[in-house]
Amino acid sequence: MMASGLLLPAVLALVLSQSATPAPPPDRAEIRGWIMDGQTARALEALKAQPQDSPWVRYLTGLAYYHRDDHVRAIELLAPVIAELPDGSPERREAVQVLGLSYFVAGRLQEALPLLEETRAWASDTMELARVLGAAYIQTRQPAKAREAIAQVFGVPPESADAHLLAAQQMIRLEFEDMAETEIRRALEIDPQAREAHYLLGQLAVHRARFDEGIEHFRTEIARNPLHAMAYYRLGETYARQQKWDAATEALQRSLWINPYYSGTYIVLGRAYLTRGQPSTAEGLLRRAVEYDPNNASAHYLLAQALQRLGRQDEAAREFEVAARLSEGQPRR
């Protein structure tokens, strides 16, 4: 009796395990939830157990690869499956959107645009989509459509001076400078006193090594907006390129008074004081630059030069080492 009594728990556990109902396989909503939560490995493992000829399995697999930043694999899976998903269904809409974004990230803009435009028809209030569309239109040289998309992001009329300037700013960032200049000139036709217009024209002029022209544009912008810290910074930086150190120092100091948190101003001002033979002042400025931007190689290199001139060779060597490592793309330790 005692022996059988001792066996009872084991027997009971065996019976219970044999009679337990196996957990049902995850459904598509659960798998999609895992993907949205960043559990893409778990989702992909679950999808392997599903019928691979199922359109929704291939759609979810493509979605998972998109969220793993494997855009090439996402394109391979989603491009053929879209036609198999019901028109107007949430799955098809999401597949179209994700495929368009994957094409965009992969640089296949002509394939991305029709899909992003289709997505816009039902997601017109999505700011991120408008931003991506704006960039795609710029890169495919469709300035009017780009301006319309960018205006939507910022909530301004697409034919306003502000819309032209916002589009120009993005065009400069993407290095479509000829398009940008056209947009800026049009903004000034609409509003001759438009703020930011001469600042942007100054940037274009300096990029083209037309320094005197850039200086005049920056001065015009400052006259219209004396609180424009970046205009003072760009003005000072341009004077520094011409080695006009007194003028550069004055402009950069004004920039710092308005915005004391931008590392670039400290770097150029530190270089100005180094060039003028004031390494102690340069050190203080460059330490502040490193504080605000510790992974800036130029800041560390100039700081090393200042320390070297102050006779602090060990500290200088350490800063040179940091600058060299950052120049090779390695973060500061």
Side-chain angles (χ1 to χ4, degrees):
M1 291 294 292
M2 185 178 294
S4 62
L6 289 173
L7 290 173
L8 182 58
V11 173
L12 180 59
L14 178 61
V15 170
L16 289 174
S17 67
Q18 291 176 342
S19 62
T21 303
D27 59 18
R28 67 182 72 179
E30 188 174 6
I31 293 174
R32 185 183 179 281
W34 292 341
I35 295 170
M36 296 298 107
D37 288 340
Q39 301 180 59
T40 52
R42 183 181 184 186
L44 288 170
E45 189 62 31
L47 287 164
K48 288 179 183 178
Q50 304 289 339
Q52 296 304 297
D53 58 349
S54 167
W56 77 264
V57 169
R58 284 179 284 145
Y59 137 72
L60 284 175
T61 305
L63 183 64
Y65 277 109
Y66 170 79
H67 284 277
R68 289 170 72 96
D69 293 329
D70 189 342
H71 301 103
V72 173
R73 184 67 178 133
I75 291 169
E76 291 173 353
L77 288 157
L78 293 173
V81 83
I82 284 176
E84 301 178 45
L85 298 171
D87 286 340
S89 67
E91 291 85 0
R92 188 184 189 283
R93 285 183 171 184
E94 186 169 46
V96 166
Q97 179 180 10
V98 170
L99 180 58
L101 292 170
S102 296
Y103 278 135
F104 175 79
V105 174
R108 296 166 62 174
L109 302 178
Q110 296 295 345
E111 294 161 288
L113 273 172
L115 298 167
L116 295 173
E117 288 171 337
E118 181 180 337
T119 301
R120 193 180 189 185
W122 57 267
S124 58
D125 60 343
T126 304
M127 186 178 295
E128 181 64 15
L129 176 63
R131 185 192 68 79
V132 170
L133 267 171
Y137 284 135
I138 290 170
Q139 293 175 80
T140 55
R141 292 193 167 272
Q142 301 182 67
K145 288 185 175 182
R147 186 174 63 254
E148 181 184 353
I150 292 167
Q152 180 185 341
V153 172
F154 290 92
V156 298
E159 294 304 324
S160 65
D162 287 338
H164 285 279
L165 291 173
L166 287 165
Q169 189 176 57
Q170 299 304 311
M171 290 167 182
I172 290 172
R173 188 169 297 166
L174 294 170
E175 300 183 351
F176 285 78
E177 296 177 354
D178 54 336
M179 290 169 56
E181 185 166 2
T182 300
E183 294 295 314
I184 299 166
R185 300 292 182 189
R186 178 58 184 144
L188 285 170
E189 289 174 7
I190 297 168
D191 179 6
Q193 299 302 314
R195 291 189 176 188
E196 293 292 319
H198 284 281
Y199 173 69
L200 295 175
L201 286 172
Q203 284 185 285
L204 291 175
V206 169
H207 185 72
R208 295 163 177 166
R210 302 204 298 255
F211 299 133
D212 289 337
E213 180 185 336
I215 286 168
E216 286 307 309
H217 282 301
F218 293 138
R219 286 190 168 280
T220 301
E221 188 64 46
I222 289 166
R224 295 180 180 182
N225 182 8
L227 296 177
H228 201 313
M230 286 304 295
Y232 281 114
Y233 166 70
R234 294 294 183 191
L235 177 62
E237 183 188 45
T238 307
Y239 278 133
R241 292 190 184 196
Q242 296 181 316
Q243 299 187 16
K244 297 178 179 178
W245 298 111
D246 289 342
T249 299
E250 180 180 308
L252 292 165
Q253 286 175 336
R254 289 177 175 174
S255 180
L256 282 183
W257 290 336
I258 300 168
N259 178 15
Y261 305 109
Y262 181 55
S263 65
T265 311
Y266 290 101
I267 291 171
V268 182
L269 195 53
R271 183 157 60 89
Y273 279 106
L274 264 179
T275 304
R276 296 166 71 182
Q278 300 180 51
S280 181
T281 303
E283 180 196 356
L285 291 163
L286 293 165
R287 286 199 182 279
R288 186 63 63 87
V290 167
E291 177 186 344
Y292 288 133
D293 188 1
N295 290 321
N296 189 301
S298 295
H300 285 282
Y301 185 81
L302 288 168
L303 177 57
Q305 288 187 317
L307 293 167
Q308 193 174 53
R309 294 184 192 185
L310 290 166
R312 289 148 63 184
Q313 303 302 331
D314 290 344
E315 292 178 70
R318 286 195 294 270
E319 290 299 327
F320 277 128
E321 182 183 349
V322 172
R325 188 166 61 249
L326 290 172
S327 297
E328 295 169 358
Q330 301 176 28
R332 184 185 180 190
R333 291 180 296 194

